[in-house]
C-alpha cells in the first residue's frame, strides 16, 4: 500500500492568489491510517511554481496535517537583517572573522536592539527567536560570549571594520562629532577614571566619541578614551582619521566643549570645514561678544527663522595664538545671533533659579566644622558667582552682585557661531541646530541599548562590548531614519514598531518544515513600507 501511494501537485487559491503545493501521503503508525501533509512549492507565475520568498507566509486558516512543535519570534528581526544586508555589515565582518564568529556577533547585536540582556541570559533569548532555527549549531553561552568579546577587544577587528564601513557608506556632507561618558563601579578597568561626568552619578567613567553622518542618521566611527581626557583632547585623532580616510566635501559640526585656541588652530591648519560656537574663556571672544551684543539687534540684521524673528550679524574673530614659536593671528568668520524669544525664556528661568538659590542659602544652617564658602558652593553651584554673602550669628546674609547679573543677562538670547569657508547665516544656524541628532544618538545608546552601567571585568571585554554596542546603534538609528523616510514614525515609536512585528512568528512543524505565521493587515502595512514584502 505504501509503495502505491504517490504525491500529487495541485494549485490552491488563497486570498485570491494561486500557490503550488505538493500533497504528500504518509502512513501514521500511531493512528494506523494514511494521512497527508502539504509542501509549499511556490507562487503560480505563468503556470510554474516560483518561490518569491525563502520562507512562505502561510495563513493560519490553511489546515496542514503536521503538528507545530515550536513558535519563535521572527518579524522583529526582519528590518534588522535587511539593514545588515543593505549596509554590508555581515559581508564586512566576514572579511575579518569566520562565519560562526560573525553569526554570534550579529546575534548579540540584534539582542541589544530588540531586548538588551546580561550575557548569561542571551542564550535563552536566542533559543526563543528564529535565529536558533537559522543557526542551530551556535552556542551563545555566557562563557563563549565573554571569550568572543575579549578576543574582539584584543584584536584590531573593530578599527578595521570602522575604516571599511566608513569608506563603503560614503558619508554625506555634514558630519557631527561629540563625546559622552559611560560610568561603571568596576574596580578592574584601567580606562575608568574620574573626569567631567555628564550623568552626574559620581562614578569613574570611560569616554566614548562618535562621528555621525547626519544625512543617513547613523554613526560611522567611534573611539574609546580614558575618563579623565577632556573633550578637546579627543579631537586630534578624529581630525587625523578624517584626513587619512580621504572623506571629501564634508563639514564637521562641533559643540562648544571642543573649542580652544589649539583646536581652532588645528582645524584651520588641516583645512577641516567646521561650525563651532566659541566659549568665553578667551579674551578675544569676550571682546567680540561685548561689541557684537550691542549692534546685533539693529533692524538691518533682522530675519525670520522657523516663523520667529531672529537677528544675524556677520562677525570676525581675530585671536593672537601664542602657543607656537612664532605667534600668529587666527582669523575666523562667524555670525552673532540674537533670538528675542530665547532671551525672554532664558531671563525668566535665570531669575527664578537665582531667587531659589538665594532663599536656600539664607535658610541654610552651616555646621561649625564646615567652611561657609563650601556650604554656599554646594548650594549655589555655578550661581555662586552672582552672590555676595557673609555669616552673621550662624546665618547667611545674602545679596546679589548686580554687575555680574547684568553682564549675564545682557548676553541672553545672543550667541556666536564660527565657521570656515563661505556660508550664509541661515545655513550656518540650521546645520548647527541639527547636531541634536547626535545627542539623541547618545540617548538611544544609553537608554534603549542599555550601554549603562558597565559591569565588565577586563578592558578587552569592554572594548569588544562597545564594538557590539556601536553596531547595534548603527542598526537602531538606521531603522529610525527609515521610519522617518516612510512616515511610519508618525504612527509608531521604534520600540512599538518592533513589538508589533514581534507578533509574526516562525513555526516549526513536526516534519521539520518551517513556515511563517499569518501576517495581520497592520503588520503587512509595516513590512510593505519598509520594503520587506514581495
Amino acid at each position: 500500500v505504501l509503495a502505491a501511494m504517490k504525491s500529487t501537485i495541485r494549485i490552491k487559491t488563497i486570498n485570491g492568489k494561486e500557490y503550488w503545493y505538493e500533497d504528500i501521503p504518509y502512513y501514521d503508525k500511531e493512528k494506523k491510517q494514511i494521512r497527508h501533509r502539504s509542501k509549499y512549492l511556490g507562487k503560480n507565475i505563468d503556470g510554474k511554481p516560483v518561490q518569491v520568498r525563502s520562507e512562505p507566509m502561510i495563513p493560519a486558516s490553511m489546515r496542514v496535517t503536521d503538528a507545530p512543535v515550536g513558535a519563535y519570534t521572527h518579524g522583529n528581526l526582519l528590518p534588522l537583517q535587511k539593514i545588515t544586508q543593505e549596509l554590508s555589515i555581515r559581508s564586512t565582518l566576514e572579511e575579518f572573522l569566520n562565519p560562526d564568529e560573525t553569526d554570534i556577533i550579529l546575534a548579540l547585536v540584534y539582542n541589544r536592539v530588540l531586548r538588551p540582556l546580561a550575557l548569561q541570559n542571551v542564550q535563552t533569548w536566542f533559543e526563543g527567536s528564529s535565529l536558533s532555527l537559522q543557526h542551530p549549531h551556535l552556542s551563545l553561552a555566557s562563557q563563549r560570549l565573554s571569550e568572543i568579546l575579549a578576543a574582539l577587544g584584543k584584536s584590531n577587528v573593530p578599527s578595521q571594520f570602522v575604516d571599511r564601513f566608513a569608506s563603503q557608506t560614503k558619508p554625506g556632507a555634514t558630519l557631527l562629532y561629540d563625546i559622552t561618558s559611560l560610568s561603571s563601579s568596576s574596580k578592574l578597568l584601567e580606562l575608568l577614571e574620574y573626569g567631567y561626568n555628564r550623568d552626574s552619578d559620581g562614578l569613574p567613567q570611560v569616554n566614548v566619541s562618535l562621528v555621525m553622518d547626519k544625512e543617513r542618521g547613523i554613526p560611522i566611527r567611534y573611539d574609546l578614551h580614558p575618563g579623565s581626557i577632556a573633550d578637546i583632547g579627543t579631537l586630534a585623532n578624529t581630525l587625523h582619521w578624517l584626513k587619512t580616510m580621504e572623506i571629501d566635501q564634508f563639514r564637521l559640526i562641533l559643540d562648544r566643549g571642543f573649542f580652544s585656541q589649539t583646536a581652532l588652530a588645528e582645524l584651520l591648519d588641516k583645512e577641516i570645514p567646521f561650525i563651532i560656537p566659541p566659549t568665553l574663556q578667551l579674551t578675544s571672544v569676550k571682546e567680540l561678544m561685548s561689541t557684537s551684543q550691542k549692534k546685533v539687534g539693529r533692524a538691518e540684521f533682522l530675519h525670520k527663522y522657523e516663523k520667529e524673528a531672529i537677528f544675524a550679524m556677520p562677525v570676525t574673530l581675530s585671536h593672537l595664538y601664542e602657543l607656537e614659536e612664532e605667534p600668529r593671528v587666527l582669523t575666523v568668520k562667524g555670525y552673532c545671533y540674537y533670538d528675542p524669544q530665547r532671551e525672554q525664556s532664558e531671563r525668566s528661568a535665570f531669575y527664578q533659579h537665582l531667587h531659589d538659590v538665594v532663599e536656600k542659602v539664607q535658610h541654610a544652617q552651616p555646621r561649625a566644622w564646615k567652611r561657609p564658602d563650601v556650604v554656599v558652593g554646594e548650594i549655589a553651584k555655578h550661581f555662586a558667582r552672582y552672590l555676595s554673602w557673609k555669616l552673621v550669628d550662624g546665618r547667611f546674609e545674602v545679596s546679589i552682585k548686580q554687575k555680574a547679573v547684568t553682564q549675564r543677562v545682557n548676553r541672553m538670547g545672543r550667541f556666536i557661531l564660527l565657521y570656515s569657508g563661505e556660508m550664509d547665516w541661515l545655513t550656518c544656524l540650521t546645520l548647527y541646530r541639527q547636531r541634536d541628532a547626535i545627542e539623541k544618538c547618545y540617548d538611544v545608546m544609553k537608554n534603549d541599548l542599555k550601554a549603562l552601567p558597565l559591569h565588565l571585568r577586563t578592558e578587552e571585554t569592554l572594548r569588544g562590548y562597545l564594538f557590539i554596542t556601536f553596531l547595534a546603534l548603527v542598526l537602531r538609528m538606521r531603522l529610525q531614519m527609515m521610519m522617518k523616510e516612510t512616515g511610519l514614525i508618525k504612527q509608531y515609536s521604534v520600540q512599538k514598531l518592533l513589538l508589533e512585528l514581534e507578533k509574526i512568528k516562525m513555526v516549526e512543524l513536526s516534519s521539520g518544515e518551517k513556515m511563517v505565521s499569518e501576517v495581520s493587515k497592520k503588520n503587512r502595512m509595516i513590512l510593505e513600507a519598509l520594503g520587506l514584502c514581495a
Side-chain angles (χ1 to χ4, degrees):
V1 176
L2 291 176
M5 290 192 299
K6 295 182 179 180
S7 63
T8 57
I9 297 176
R10 62 194 181 95
I11 295 176
K12 295 182 181 181
T13 301
I14 304 171
N15 295 330
K17 296 182 180 180
E18 295 183 340
Y19 300 90
W20 285 89
Y21 284 87
E22 182 180 5
D23 184 87
I24 305 172
Y26 70 97
Y27 184 73
D28 189 327
K29 292 182 180 179
E30 293 183 1
K31 296 188 176 182
K32 297 182 180 181
Q33 65 181 24
I34 297 174
R35 302 185 67 186
H36 297 261
R37 70 166 62 99
S38 293
K39 180 180 179 182
Y40 173 80
L41 299 178
K43 189 175 182 180
N44 183 23
I45 299 179
D46 297 329
K48 297 179 180 180
V50 178
Q51 291 202 7
V52 293
R53 56 173 72 248
S54 58
E55 294 155 352
M57 297 286 188
I58 300 179
S61 58
M62 182 181 149
R63 298 182 179 274
V64 294
T65 55
D66 280 342
V69 296
Y72 304 82
T73 57
H74 178 65
N76 54 0
L77 286 164
L78 297 177
L80 305 185
Q81 291 173 327
K82 174 184 173 69
I83 295 168
T84 300
Q85 181 179 2
E86 287 184 347
L87 296 180
S88 302
I89 291 175
R90 174 182 287 278
S91 59
T92 305
L93 284 172
E94 288 177 342
E95 293 181 28
F96 313 111
L97 303 167
N98 65 47
D100 279 2
E101 291 169 337
T102 298
D103 289 334
I104 290 174
I105 286 171
L106 288 177
L108 271 175
V109 169
Y110 296 152
N111 172 257
R112 297 231 68 76
V113 177
L114 298 175
R115 186 169 297 173
L117 298 167
L119 293 184
Q120 62 264 32
N121 297 324
V122 172
Q123 177 75 41
T124 303
W125 168 84
F126 176 75
E127 291 170 353
S129 78
S130 63
L131 291 175
S132 63
L133 300 179
Q134 298 167 25
H135 311 289
H137 61 287
L138 284 188
S139 170
L140 272 73
S142 59
Q143 181 61 36
R144 175 60 174 150
L145 296 181
S146 295
E147 291 171 357
I148 288 283
L149 293 180
L152 271 177
K154 290 177 183 176
S155 72
N156 57 0
V157 169
S159 60
Q160 288 178 315
F161 177 92
V162 166
D163 288 349
R164 187 65 56 86
F165 180 68
S167 63
Q168 289 175 342
T169 53
K170 295 180 173 54
T174 303
L175 300 181
L176 310 175
Y177 180 75
D178 207 349
I179 190 169
T180 195
S181 52
L182 300 179
S183 304
S184 173
S185 56
S186 174
K187 308 292 185 184
L188 303 175
L189 301 178
E190 293 183 1
L191 277 171
L192 289 172
E193 297 177 351
Y194 287 97
Y196 171 60
N197 193 303
R198 294 155 184 83
D199 299 308
S200 303
D201 54 21
L203 294 173
Q205 64 194 27
V206 293
N207 289 330
V208 180
S209 61
L210 286 178
V211 179
M212 185 174 180
D213 179 353
K214 183 187 74 65
E215 278 73 22
R216 288 183 177 83
I218 60 173
I220 61 169
R221 176 183 171 85
Y222 77 102
D223 278 301
L224 186 62
H225 313 276
S228 62
I229 292 182
D231 294 5
I232 296 170
T234 68
L235 186 58
N237 288 339
T238 301
L239 296 181
H240 176 71
W241 177 78
L242 289 170
K243 279 297 184 183
T244 57
M245 290 300 295
E246 298 181 352
I247 300 175
D248 300 323
Q249 297 181 343
F250 70 91
R251 188 176 300 276
L252 200 58
I253 315 298
L254 301 164
D255 197 7
R256 66 182 70 252
F258 295 97
F259 182 80
S260 72
Q261 57 180 343
T262 302
L264 196 60
E266 191 159 4
L267 286 166
L268 293 171
D269 290 343
K270 292 183 182 297
E271 299 181 346
I272 301 286
F274 64 87
I275 298 174
I276 187 171
T279 64
L280 296 177
Q281 295 177 342
L282 300 182
T283 303
S284 56
V285 177
K286 289 181 181 178
E287 293 173 349
L288 180 62
M289 175 59 81
S290 179
T291 57
S292 301
Q293 67 187 29
K294 300 174 184 177
K295 302 177 183 177
V296 67
R298 294 177 180 174
E300 60 186 293
F301 303 123
L302 176 62
H303 302 279
K304 205 168 186 179
Y305 181 76
E306 295 181 348
K307 300 181 180 180
E308 299 292 341
I310 194 168
F311 296 80
M313 181 180 75
V315 296
T316 301
L317 174 68
S318 295
H319 176 74
L320 182 61
Y321 185 55
E322 299 181 288
L323 298 184
E324 295 179 333
E325 293 181 2
E326 295 184 8
R328 59 179 173 137
V329 175
L330 303 177
T331 303
V332 194
K333 295 178 182 178
Y335 291 98
C336 180
Y337 296 91
Y338 168 45
D339 184 340
Q341 189 174 25
R342 176 174 169 178
E343 177 188 28
Q344 184 176 0
S345 61
E346 285 183 355
R347 282 194 181 210
S348 177
F350 175 81
Y351 283 128
Q352 288 180 40
H353 198 165
L354 181 61
H355 178 271
D356 293 343
V357 166
V358 170
E359 279 197 337
K360 288 179 181 179
V361 174
Q362 287 175 335
H363 289 88
Q365 298 180 5
R367 304 285 185 179
W369 50 267
K370 200 166 189 178
R371 287 168 43 191
D373 60 320
V374 174
V375 176
V376 174
E378 290 176 348
I379 297 173
K381 296 183 172 58
H382 62 276
F383 271 72
R385 74 188 72 172
Y386 306 114
L387 304 181
S388 178
W389 56 269
K390 60 182 178 179
L391 193 62
V392 179
D393 297 330
R395 294 281 185 176
F396 287 109
E397 291 185 359
V398 184
S399 60
I400 296 174
K401 295 180 180 178
Q402 188 56 51
K403 184 176 180 180
V405 169
T406 300
Q407 290 176 344
R408 175 68 187 94
V409 169
N410 286 344
R411 294 197 303 269
M412 289 181 179
R414 296 162 174 82
F415 58 97
I416 292 175
L417 293 178
L418 300 177
Y419 67 91
S420 63
E422 295 298 326
M423 193 178 304
D424 59 51
W425 71 270
L426 180 59
T427 303
C428 187
L429 180 60
T430 301
L431 288 177
Y432 180 74
R433 287 194 171 176
Q434 288 175 349
R435 71 171 306 283
D436 67 343
I438 198 167
E439 294 171 0
K440 293 176 182 175
C441 191
Y442 277 127
D443 182 67
V444 166
M445 183 175 75
K446 291 183 178 184
N447 297 311
D448 295 331
L449 305 183
K450 307 299 182 188
L452 289 173
L454 298 175
H455 297 299
L456 304 171
R457 300 197 172 194
T458 68
E459 183 178 319
E460 290 79 12
T461 308
L462 169 61
R463 291 183 180 276
Y465 169 83
L466 287 176
F467 178 59
I468 298 296
T469 303
F470 170 75
L471 293 178
L473 191 59
V474 171
L475 298 189
R476 175 61 168 68
M477 298 306 293
R478 178 56 193 150
L479 176 57
Q480 182 171 300
M481 182 59 72
M482 290 169 64
M483 292 174 65
K484 288 181 179 178
E485 293 168 350
T486 58
L488 287 172
I489 201 71
K490 298 176 182 178
Q491 299 172 265
Y492 301 94
S493 65
V494 175
Q495 183 180 20
K496 185 177 179 181
L497 180 135
L498 292 173
L499 283 173
E500 186 65 43
L501 290 178
E502 194 174 317
K503 297 175 183 176
I504 302 175
K505 308 292 183 183
M506 181 176 285
V507 180
E508 184 179 24
L509 304 178
S510 57
S511 65
E513 186 179 357
K514 302 172 185 65
M515 63 175 65
V516 177
S517 63
E518 187 174 9
V519 180
S520 68
K521 183 177 180 181
K522 185 184 295 185
N523 273 325
R524 186 168 295 280
M525 182 273 293
I526 294 173
L527 294 175
E528 289 176 351
L530 295 176
L532 292 167
C533 276

